[in-house]
Amino acid sequence: MTMAHQSPAVIQTVLLVEDEVIARVMLAEYLRDCGYNVIEAADTDEALVVLQHAEIEVDVVLCGISKTGSAGGFALSQFIRSTRPWTHVVLAGNHARAVDAAGELCEAGPTLSKPYEPQVVLDRIKRLLAGRPKQKK
Amino acid sequence: MLDKVLSFPAASLHSRNVLVVEDQVLTRMMVADELRRRGLKVLEAQNAHEAIAVLQSQVPVDLVFTDVRLPGSMDGLALSRLLRETLPELKIVVTSGDLPVDTDVDPADAFFPKPYDLRGIAGHIEELLGELRR
């Protein structure tokens, strides 16, 4: 059961910003299965609350949305560059690109295990979203 | 039932799933981290509508831990009543910084006033989950 790509990796923290709860839950679970510590933010306002606490370490911000919250993804990115220039920012903009970005993180990051492909995650998100009644925000 | 659980490769047959409903991101993060440290799988929702969306999906949930004060049209007590009616086997734990300790929170299995002892709550949640059989 030896996997060449596995290593005693340092756990990194991803701040996941996603306003669709099903997509957020699935993406967060995927990233945790890859070995990341994941902080979940439902909008950019929540993300800013987290980022304003300097003691909370964040290595990567993965933003799957562009507008939700008083600050958009671009404003969030600017805030991070000015206050935490070492933090990597990925502005995905939608679920599919967020899943791709998560897959790339799992390739490059602290891979404790890689149990399934990003496409599986995306298909799962689509199925779950399609299977429930529409909710008013 | 089994096929639903196995349909997501990461799902564990042995883990218990807790849905934390809390609009204060730092509080939600703190509670979720403590529960994950204890080996529980934790889902997070910012408000009652997100919680309902999760519960309407195929993602299994064994226990809901909810704050009373939530943004939107439904607070944590209304959510608890709805869940008690629709999912009677679901365990429900309610917390609030606004309600007196002796408030009737009938739909809930347990009520914790804020500020609460995080380890105490996590221990109580584990006890409630221990009562479940799958």
Side-chain angles (χ1 to χ4, degrees):
Chain A
M1 277 297 287
T2 305
M3 293 186 194
H5 65 275
Q6 276 193 330
S7 60
V10 175
I11 292 189
Q12 292 187 314
T13 298
V14 177
L15 173 58
L16 174 63
V17 192
E18 170 61 61
D19 63 335
E20 172 53 63
V21 64
I22 300 296
R24 189 172 72 240
V25 162
M26 292 297 115
L27 272 167
E29 188 66 11
Y30 177 63
L31 288 165
R32 287 189 186 105
D33 285 344
C34 294
Y36 285 96
N37 177 45
V38 182
I39 300 171
E40 298 181 37
D43 53 37
T44 51
D45 292 337
E46 284 199 349
L48 286 170
V49 170
V50 172
L51 292 165
Q52 281 163 355
H53 284 74
E55 74 278 11
I56 301 176
E57 290 185 17
V58 175
D59 300 291
V60 179
V61 176
L62 172 51
C63 187
I65 58 178
S66 55
K67 287 178 183 168
T68 301
S70 54
F74 186 67
L76 180 68
S77 177
Q78 284 185 314
F79 176 82
I80 295 164
R81 291 223 167 85
S82 64
T83 59
R84 296 174 180 243
W86 55 88
T87 300
H88 187 52
V89 182
V90 181
L91 294 179
N94 62 46
H95 306 329
R97 276 190 264 168
V99 171
D100 283 345
E104 286 173 20
L105 284 173
C106 287
E107 276 298 325
T111 307
L112 298 180
S113 62
K114 192 187 168 201
Y116 44 97
E117 293 298 318
Q119 189 58 45
V120 175
V121 183
L122 186 57
D123 290 345
R124 173 72 171 171
I125 290 170
K126 284 178 179 171
R127 279 207 307 276
L128 290 175
L129 289 176
R132 67 178 176 82
K134 295 281 183 194
Q135 294 288 325
K136 270 192 169 180
K137 288 275 176 189
Chain B
M1 282 297 289
L2 195 61
D3 61 326
K4 284 187 179 177
V5 177
L6 292 176
S7 63
F8 192 42
S12 163
L13 287 171
H14 304 293
S15 70
R16 295 296 190 186
N17 299 333
V18 178
L19 175 59
V20 175
V21 191
E22 166 67 64
D23 65 319
Q24 299 298 313
V25 62
L26 298 179
T27 305
R28 193 173 70 230
M29 183 178 85
M30 188 178 63
V31 173
D33 282 353
E34 177 63 27
L35 295 174
R36 286 190 187 105
R37 266 197 291 274
R38 291 168 182 251
L40 298 171
K41 182 175 170 185
V42 183
L43 313 165
E44 301 180 34
Q46 187 198 40
N47 55 51
H49 292 291
E50 283 199 349
I52 291 168
V54 171
L55 290 159
Q56 285 177 328
S57 73
Q58 292 177 18
V59 180
V61 175
D62 300 296
L63 185 147
V64 171
F65 175 69
T66 182
D67 192 10
V68 169
R69 182 182 285 188
L70 296 172
S73 58
M74 183 180 283
D75 69 11
L77 281 180
L79 174 66
S80 300
R81 290 189 194 102
L82 175 68
L83 297 181
R84 181 55 73 225
E85 286 176 16
T86 53
L87 298 167
E89 291 179 7
L90 186 72
K91 297 290 185 184
I92 302 170
V93 177
V94 171
T95 183
S96 175
D98 304 320
L99 297 177
V101 178
D102 58 354
T103 299
D104 178 16
V105 286
D106 193 39
D109 294 289
F111 171 69
F112 289 90
K114 285 183 178 177
Y116 47 69
D117 170 49
L118 191 54
R119 288 182 181 174
I121 282 194
H124 200 91
I125 285 174
E126 284 181 319
E127 282 178 24
L128 285 170
L129 290 171
E131 296 172 6
L132 293 173
R133 301 228 181 274
R134 183 172 283 168

